Amino acid sequence: MKKTKIFLFLLLLVIVAPVEAQQKQKQATKRPAISSVQSPVWSLEKANAWYQQHAWITGANFLPSTAINQLEMWQAETFDEATIDRELGWAENIGFNTMRVFLHSLAWKQDTAGFKQRMARYLSIADKHHIQTIFVFFDDCWNKVPLIGKQPDPKPGIHNSGWVQDPGDPFSMDSTNFPLLERYVKNVLQAFATDRRILLWDLYNEPGNSGKLEKSIPLLTKVFQWARSVQINQPISAGLWAWDFEKLNAIQVVNSDVVTYHDYEEPQWHLRVIQMLKSTGRPLICTEYMARTRNSRFSNILPLLKKEKVGAINWGFVTGKSNTIYAWDTPMPDGGEPNEWFHDIFYRDGTPYRKDEVNLITKLNKGNSN
């Protein structure tokens, strides 16, 4: 019954979304770099032309192994260029061309100029390795209260024990914080508005997660408005992830230039999601997949995504302080290695967790085209 409800909702979504998007296209007018007039959602023709300009989009969500969360990655004291360079080199070696990377508003607030300089430095390193970047602004996942400064040590055997929400809880639901968040989004978008090294802006990761549900609608709505008021070359999106979050999903898909989504299901269910979302007429990028113990694997999902011409960005790259080799709901307090890793591809010395997986990834990425 639940699966039936999900796909009935998706059917309605994919019928309504293209119509509403085209209506917005007709109503919008040309605007300057910052304007109260909202730029239009990309037409289907523009979105698909953009997608055809790129090789098949394949890569991972990236956090250097020496960082426990977004703040440890981006703060000046812990921005680890050497590790970023080394690990992106491993990504290049297996043919990955895209990494999805989370920003954090507190790092920008603490040191606005330095934060953007570090973003530029990261982009230079990634570009050296022939990798484009999907940057993520807000996030409703994991620990509620982010704090600037030294980040906590990992808790043994606990998945993402130090990952923090952005802007956090209850901050994301307090509209008095919105003016500062608006300045953050617009300031970053203006700085990189024409940067070819950025593939796409992912405005909000899993809105409604951590029990927020529809309380995330105001910020989700606002961040699309803020982004549309800045003249940028890159598309914007916010990924679908919970098929029963009907109001959130409708906002996300109608306002996205490219449809992004998360799916950790087995192949037969993942395929049905792809088949329904294709009805939007827009390019698809799966920005999170691959949880081995849930039977979402490189062996059964990555070939599917390539066959269906869907971008493929798995969660996890190098095992490290994020502890994502452990499953979401299966902690191992002794910190021992699980029988099967949940996420991640490499040990910290660059050794593949599974050589057969790395061989498959490399093979599928060889001669990459859309």
Side-chain angles (χ1 to χ4, degrees):
M1 184 67 183
K2 184 177 180 181
K3 294 288 185 182
T4 301
K5 181 180 178 182
I6 289 169
F7 284 102
L8 285 173
F9 163 70
L10 282 172
L11 180 60
L12 177 61
L13 193 65
V14 298
I15 291 171
V16 172
V19 174
E20 292 195 9
Q22 295 303 321
Q23 288 175 340
K24 288 187 176 185
Q25 175 82 17
K26 293 177 181 178
Q27 292 169 358
T29 58
K30 187 176 180 181
R31 77 279 183 252
I34 293 286
S35 173
S36 60
V37 177
Q38 301 299 301
S39 63
V41 176
W42 284 12
S43 68
L44 301 183
E45 293 77 14
K46 182 177 180 178
N48 285 293
W50 169 87
Y51 195 66
Q52 289 302 316
Q53 292 170 6
H54 296 277
W56 177 48
I57 294 165
T58 172
N61 283 264
F62 180 71
L63 180 73
S65 60
T66 51
I68 193 171
N69 60 25
Q70 317 93 302
L71 288 169
E72 193 161 33
M73 177 175 180
W74 291 111
Q75 291 181 123
E77 296 79 7
T78 48
F79 183 68
D80 188 350
E81 290 191 35
T83 297
I84 291 169
D85 188 19
R86 181 175 62 254
E87 294 179 357
L88 291 185
W90 299 339
E92 179 185 14
N93 289 343
I94 62 174
F96 278 169
N97 58 31
T98 305
M99 289 297 197
R100 182 173 181 250
V101 179
F102 286 70
L103 305 172
H104 205 287
S105 59
L106 286 187
W108 171 87
K109 180 181 178 182
Q110 178 198 41
D111 177 16
T112 298
F115 177 75
K116 289 184 290 184
Q117 289 168 3
R118 289 185 287 279
M119 285 182 65
R121 183 61 189 143
Y122 171 85
L123 288 169
S124 294
I125 296 170
D127 189 54
K128 181 180 74 172
H129 294 293
H130 310 289
I131 290 170
Q132 289 190 297
T133 300
I134 297 172
F135 278 130
V136 185
F137 278 106
F138 299 133
D139 185 8
D140 276 351
C141 293
W142 302 106
N143 294 286
K144 292 183 177 182
V145 182
L147 296 172
I148 210 71
K150 186 181 185 305
Q151 298 304 296
D153 293 329
K155 295 178 182 178
I158 297 179
H159 179 107
N160 260 332
S161 66
W163 192 268
V164 286
Q165 297 179 27
D166 186 7
D169 187 351
F171 314 109
S172 65
M173 298 173 283
D174 183 353
S175 61
T176 62
N177 293 316
F178 287 6
L180 177 63
L181 297 176
E182 179 180 6
R183 290 196 296 275
Y184 161 56
V185 171
K186 289 182 176 180
N187 182 255
V188 170
L189 289 178
Q190 283 180 287
F192 299 96
T194 61
D195 198 316
R196 61 169 182 79
R197 300 169 298 180
I198 297 173
L199 180 73
L200 177 146
W201 297 97
D202 190 339
L203 301 183
Y204 204 141
N205 182 66
E206 299 197 353
N209 206 337
S210 303
K212 292 183 179 181
L213 306 176
E214 293 179 9
K215 294 178 182 178
S216 294
I217 286 178
L219 182 56
L220 175 65
T221 302
K222 285 293 185 182
V223 72
F224 273 113
Q225 292 174 0
W226 300 334
R228 292 287 176 202
S229 71
V230 183
Q231 187 175 14
I232 58 175
N233 289 350
Q234 311 93 345
I236 64 174
S237 186
L240 305 167
W241 70 280
W243 307 115
D244 53 344
F245 285 13
E246 298 181 11
K247 291 183 180 179
L248 285 161
N249 288 341
I251 295 168
Q252 288 164 255
V253 78
V254 168
N255 288 283
S256 292
D257 300 318
V258 174
V259 174
T260 59
Y261 71 96
H262 300 173
D263 198 304
Y264 291 100
E265 296 176 296
E266 296 182 307
Q268 67 271 28
W269 294 111
H270 196 148
L271 176 59
R272 290 185 68 180
V273 169
I274 292 169
Q275 290 168 335
M276 296 303 296
L277 290 178
K278 278 187 174 182
S279 300
T280 63
R282 295 187 177 276
L284 304 182
I285 304 174
C286 179
T287 50
E288 290 188 26
Y289 77 98
M290 211 289 287
R292 294 180 183 90
T293 58
R294 297 170 66 91
N295 200 28
S296 174
R297 303 172 180 275
F298 288 115
S299 61
N300 59 12
I301 299 297
L302 191 59
L304 168 67
L305 295 174
K306 183 166 188 180
K307 178 183 177 183
E308 298 296 327
K309 297 186 177 180
V310 175
I313 310 295
N314 72 277
W315 188 274
F317 190 60
V318 179
T319 182
K321 294 174 78 172
S322 66
N323 276 350
T324 51
I325 63 172
Y326 304 102
W328 301 316
D329 53 0
T330 312
M332 294 183 62
D334 65 356
E337 185 168 339
N339 291 332
E340 185 172 37
W341 285 13
F342 194 61
H343 299 312
D344 299 340
I345 301 173
F346 290 103
Y347 287 94
R348 292 179 77 163
D349 65 358
T351 302
Y353 167 61
R354 289 185 55 165
K355 183 64 175 175
D356 62 320
E357 289 182 342
V358 167
N359 289 343
L360 174 65
I361 293 167
T362 305
K363 178 182 177 181
L364 290 174
N365 288 338
K366 189 176 182 180
N368 197 349
S369 62
N370 226 338

